[in-house]
Amino acid sequence: ILAVSLTSCIRSKILSSYDMIMIFLSLSRFFLQSWMMLDLLLSLLCEASYYEENLFAIFKTVFIFLNCSSLWFAAWLSVFYCIKVATFTQSIFTWLKQRISSLLPWMLIISSLFSFAICLSFVCDIYIVHDNFTAPLTMTNSSERRVEVKARVGFLILLCNAGIALPLIVFIVSSILLVRSLSIHARQMKNNATGCRDPSLEAHMRAIKSIFSFFILYVTYFISLILILSGVFLPFSIGEAICIAVMAACPAGHSMVLIWSNPKFRELPARILHHANCHVR
């Protein structure tokens, strides 16, 4: 997706709104997947160094930023589809259709700054939590320290959940509106059909299936992320391993659905496979 979007920009010498959001989403997903792999390898191979104050805080803060950014970019992609494809006649939709190209860069920048603000708040509190965990305890202040640690950890979880819940709400609302619009349009075309296969109707049905796939993958990823951030599972437990595997698989699945649903993205893998088969022969 990133290669096709960049190639399209270079050829046309114009950065379209769709290519822009695809580049942002692809880069965030690429860095997130790479960071998760590096985080997992270091936690397994260098456990003692990994849980040092600075390294642990850096890894978790970057993890929060990349996750929040990726969720926001996926949500803006759903909003972009909704505004471009939905056929609602309300004035707000008409206004957005006319201005989405100029609004989208600001939406991406503001969501990136929001993600950065969330991770900054997270890093400030994670240092306090770390200090409370590592500072020596006396008999007189141990219970107070324990209560303070629990309060700080609870605040961290609440902060992260609030930061990633906003893009989830945006994604759900835009997806519901888009599915409703496509369903109404598909029903109208089905009623007006003459009996032969209608390519437009089939395209609408494929779009609805893709949106449902996006929705399932997005919500599944969100639930896994909440479980990881909430510390429900013990480190290196089966539950944590399943959540990490789901978090790694969902972005890849979302990318596969995007490639499958867009002929422009399907063209490059087809050419690569064709050239590979030619070389094998």
Side-chain angles (χ1 to χ4, degrees):
I1 294 173
L2 180 62
V4 172
S5 300
L6 289 174
T7 303
S8 176
C9 294
I10 293 171
R11 286 178 178 176
S12 62
K13 297 181 180 179
I14 297 174
L15 182 60
S16 66
S17 300
Y18 184 74
D19 287 333
M20 183 188 304
I21 196 169
M22 281 300 176
I23 290 171
F24 271 76
L25 180 60
S26 301
L27 285 174
S28 66
R29 291 276 172 81
F30 173 77
F31 287 124
L32 176 60
Q33 297 279 52
S34 303
W35 197 259
M36 287 176 63
M37 291 176 61
L38 182 61
D39 180 74
L40 182 62
L41 288 174
L42 284 178
S43 64
L44 292 174
L45 302 177
C46 308
E47 185 176 354
S49 302
Y50 176 78
Y51 286 101
E52 290 181 358
E53 178 182 347
N54 291 331
L55 189 61
F56 181 78
I58 290 171
F59 267 89
K60 294 309 173 187
T61 303
V62 175
F63 177 75
I64 292 296
F65 173 74
L66 292 175
N67 267 289
C68 196
S69 299
S70 179
L71 290 171
W72 270 116
F73 298 153
W76 291 138
L77 177 63
S78 180
V79 171
F80 182 81
Y81 281 149
C82 180
I83 293 172
K84 285 292 186 179
V85 177
T87 56
F88 297 111
T89 58
Q90 284 81 358
S91 57
I92 183 65
F93 272 91
T94 304
W95 184 85
L96 287 172
K97 278 181 181 290
Q98 296 172 350
R99 292 169 175 81
I100 185 61
S101 297
S102 58
L103 289 175
L104 187 59
W106 290 106
M107 292 158 62
L108 296 172
I109 293 171
I110 291 172
S111 59
S112 300
L113 292 175
F114 178 84
S115 302
F116 185 69
I118 290 293
C119 79
L120 279 183
S121 303
F122 182 84
V123 72
C124 291
D125 277 321
I126 201 171
Y127 273 112
I128 296 174
V129 171
H130 185 276
D131 290 340
N132 284 328
F133 271 120
T134 55
L137 291 177
T138 63
M139 294 298 293
T140 55
N141 66 358
S142 60
S143 59
E144 295 179 2
R145 184 75 59 79
R146 196 173 294 111
V147 171
E148 184 180 353
V149 168
K150 288 182 178 180
R152 284 289 180 177
V153 171
F155 177 74
L156 279 178
I157 294 171
L158 180 63
L159 178 69
C160 295
N161 290 352
I164 62 180
L166 286 176
L168 175 69
I169 295 171
V170 172
F171 180 87
I172 290 175
V173 171
S174 59
S175 297
I176 291 174
L177 290 174
L178 181 55
V179 168
R180 184 172 180 270
S181 176
L182 288 173
S183 299
I184 293 172
H185 198 200
R187 197 178 304 117
Q188 292 173 349
M189 288 191 297
K190 190 174 182 180
N191 293 333
N192 297 331
T194 58
C196 57
R197 296 177 62 182
D198 189 350
S200 298
L201 179 59
E202 291 180 0
H204 277 66
M205 297 308 297
R206 285 197 302 270
I208 292 173
K209 292 177 182 177
S210 298
I211 295 165
F212 273 119
S213 301
F214 292 158
F215 181 82
I216 293 171
L217 291 168
Y218 196 99
V219 173
T220 303
Y221 183 90
F222 179 83
I223 294 172
S224 300
L225 180 59
I226 290 293
L227 292 175
I228 288 292
L229 293 177
S230 300
V232 175
F233 303 110
L234 294 174
F236 308 111
S237 63
I238 296 177
E240 186 187 55
I242 292 174
C243 288
I244 292 174
V246 169
M247 289 177 63
C250 284
H254 187 243
S255 299
M256 292 299 295
V257 175
L258 284 173
I259 293 171
W260 171 78
S261 60
N262 193 321
K264 183 174 73 171
F265 294 144
R266 289 201 303 265
E267 183 181 349
L268 180 60
R271 287 207 308 265
I272 293 173
L273 288 175
H274 176 72
H275 287 301
N277 290 332
C278 291
H279 284 300
V280 169
R281 290 174 186 174

